[in-house]
Amino acid sequence: MFEIVYSRTESDIDTDFVAIGYLPLANRITHSAFVIQYEGILYEFHYEGSAIDFSEIWNNYFHKITASVHPEEVPAFMAMCEQIKKKANPKYGYFYSGENYDRSGNHFGMRDLGERMTCVGFCLNVLKGFFDEDYIEYADWKEDTHKQTGYLEKYCIRHNIDISKVKASHRRITPLEFLTSGFFIDFPIRKIQIDGKIDEVAEIIQRKIKSRLN
């Protein structure tokens, strides 16, 4: 229940579950998704940066089952995913300040930003809507958690957004941090908790990658 496993080749749990998925890509880029098991079939639900995908799994994620979603709640979680896929229209951007999708797939957030989020932000929008409370203490992640110099200024100019209205929403919560959050069940999860566990999680992943290559 508490292990990090490869979704397609190591996942052998019989019960339904929702897990946090983590996918290493090329050039140190990583990606977040939900990995969902229902009636013996694995699904993935995620924002790819240009579209939302909800389908039977084809990526081999690392995943960590979250105990926060009970097996009996999985059908309700999947129904919410279906509604979000139908109605949501996210745009990519390094922003999150407690927005959410409700169970009917409607988005609620800052009017000046609309649906602007990363793959992690998308997942946080889903979780907040499902639990009806903040999953993480997002304010623990400050603007400097996004290391790209000048990103916010350039983004606001390109999209004609008043920087003073959205500056407080600019942050980066990484896919590895999001995966690590799966080890905690009391909300909101704090950055200091994740910081204390993340090196161990990174070591587990690197060990698994190395073992798979050998």
Side-chain angles (χ1 to χ4, degrees):
M1 185 82 177
F2 295 97
E3 293 183 354
I4 295 172
V5 300
Y6 278 108
S7 299
R8 294 178 62 185
T9 55
E10 293 184 327
S11 183
D12 59 359
I13 302 295
D14 292 332
T15 57
D16 296 339
F17 64 75
V18 173
I20 296 171
Y22 171 86
L23 187 66
L25 300 169
N27 300 318
R28 297 186 178 181
I29 297 172
T30 55
H31 180 63
S32 285
F34 292 111
V35 175
I36 306 165
Q37 180 164 289
Y38 180 60
E39 295 186 343
I41 300 174
L42 282 172
Y43 300 87
E44 57 185 302
F45 180 56
H46 57 128
Y47 171 47
E48 300 175 296
S50 58
I52 297 170
D53 175 49
F54 185 30
S55 61
E56 289 192 30
I57 197 166
W58 60 279
N59 286 299
N60 198 14
Y61 297 93
F62 292 101
H63 78 235
K64 166 69 182 72
I65 295 173
T66 172
S68 300
V69 180
H70 191 275
E72 293 180 358
E73 295 178 303
V74 172
F77 190 88
M78 292 185 69
M80 180 179 178
C81 294
E82 290 281 9
Q83 290 301 311
I84 292 170
K85 181 173 171 34
K86 289 177 183 177
K87 294 183 179 180
N89 186 31
K91 306 297 181 185
Y92 200 84
Y94 288 93
F95 300 94
Y96 185 71
S97 282
E99 300 84 32
N100 71 282
Y101 292 106
D102 68 12
R103 295 201 182 200
S104 298
N106 302 302
H107 184 261
F108 296 90
M110 288 184 59
R111 179 174 55 83
D112 296 289
L113 274 175
E115 293 180 64
R116 298 181 189 269
M117 60 195 72
T118 62
C119 57
V120 172
F122 175 78
C123 293
L124 295 176
N125 270 270
V126 175
L127 290 177
K128 180 168 182 179
F130 187 76
F131 295 127
D132 199 27
E133 62 179 309
D134 284 317
Y135 175 74
I136 64 165
E137 188 62 61
Y138 60 85
D140 288 350
W141 283 260
K142 307 301 182 184
E143 182 183 345
D144 62 4
T145 56
H146 186 218
K147 305 299 184 182
Q148 186 176 335
T149 303
Y151 173 88
L152 180 60
E153 292 78 7
K154 294 174 184 177
Y155 191 97
C156 289
I157 291 170
R158 185 166 64 250
H159 296 282
N160 194 29
I161 298 172
D162 184 343
I163 191 171
S164 67
K165 295 182 178 179
V166 301
K167 184 178 177 66
S169 299
H170 177 49
R171 55 180 45 86
R172 185 182 186 216
I173 303 165
T174 69
L176 186 59
E177 288 174 320
F178 185 50
L179 176 66
T180 306
S181 76
F183 286 89
F184 305 98
I185 59 173
D186 293 328
F187 303 154
I189 299 163
R190 304 299 303 261
K191 189 175 186 298
I192 192 171
Q193 295 174 275
I194 290 173
D195 288 347
K197 186 77 175 175
I198 196 167
D199 287 347
E200 178 186 345
V201 171
E203 287 177 9
I204 292 170
I205 289 172
Q206 289 306 311
R207 193 161 60 243
K208 282 182 170 289
I209 290 173
K210 186 176 180 179
S211 176
R212 192 179 181 91
L213 293 174
N214 290 339

